[in-house]
mmCIF file of all heavy atoms in Angstrom:
data_model
loop_
_atom_site.group_PDB
_atom_site.id
_atom_site.type_symbol
_atom_site.label_atom_id
_atom_site.label_comp_id
_atom_site.label_asym_id
_atom_site.label_seq_id
_atom_site.Cartn_x
_atom_site.Cartn_y
_atom_site.Cartn_z
ATOM 1 N N ALA A 100 8.565 -37.283 -200.238
ATOM 2 C CA ALA A 100 9.670 -36.335 -200.085
ATOM 3 C C ALA A 100 9.139 -34.915 -199.936
ATOM 4 O O ALA A 100 9.573 -34.164 -199.062
ATOM 5 C CB ALA A 100 10.608 -36.426 -201.287
ATOM 6 N N SER A 118 9.250 -34.942 -213.274
ATOM 7 C CA SER A 118 7.847 -34.931 -213.674
ATOM 8 C C SER A 118 7.030 -34.225 -212.595
ATOM 9 O O SER A 118 7.408 -34.178 -211.434
ATOM 10 C CB SER A 118 7.319 -36.347 -213.835
ATOM 11 O OG SER A 118 8.071 -37.026 -214.796
ATOM 12 N N GLY A 167 -5.451 -19.539 -220.946
ATOM 13 C CA GLY A 167 -5.013 -18.151 -220.867
ATOM 14 C C GLY A 167 -4.328 -17.899 -219.540
ATOM 15 O O GLY A 167 -4.530 -18.664 -218.598
ATOM 16 N N THR A 172 -3.158 -16.152 -213.020
ATOM 17 C CA THR A 172 -3.016 -14.860 -212.350
ATOM 18 C C THR A 172 -4.181 -14.552 -211.406
ATOM 19 O O THR A 172 -3.990 -13.902 -210.382
ATOM 20 C CB THR A 172 -2.894 -13.720 -213.377
ATOM 21 O OG1 THR A 172 -4.020 -13.752 -214.249
ATOM 22 C CG2 THR A 172 -1.642 -13.888 -214.206
ATOM 23 N N SER A 384 24.831 1.311 -247.164
ATOM 24 C CA SER A 384 23.965 2.130 -247.986
ATOM 25 C C SER A 384 24.310 2.019 -249.469
ATOM 26 O O SER A 384 23.976 2.874 -250.250
ATOM 27 C CB SER A 384 24.041 3.584 -247.529
ATOM 28 O OG SER A 384 25.378 4.012 -247.614
ATOM 29 N N GLY A 386 23.039 0.645 -251.764
ATOM 30 C CA GLY A 386 21.878 0.587 -252.640
ATOM 31 C C GLY A 386 21.622 1.882 -253.380
ATOM 32 O O GLY A 386 21.297 1.874 -254.555
#
Side-chain angles (χ1 to χ4, degrees):
S118 301
T172 56
S384 58

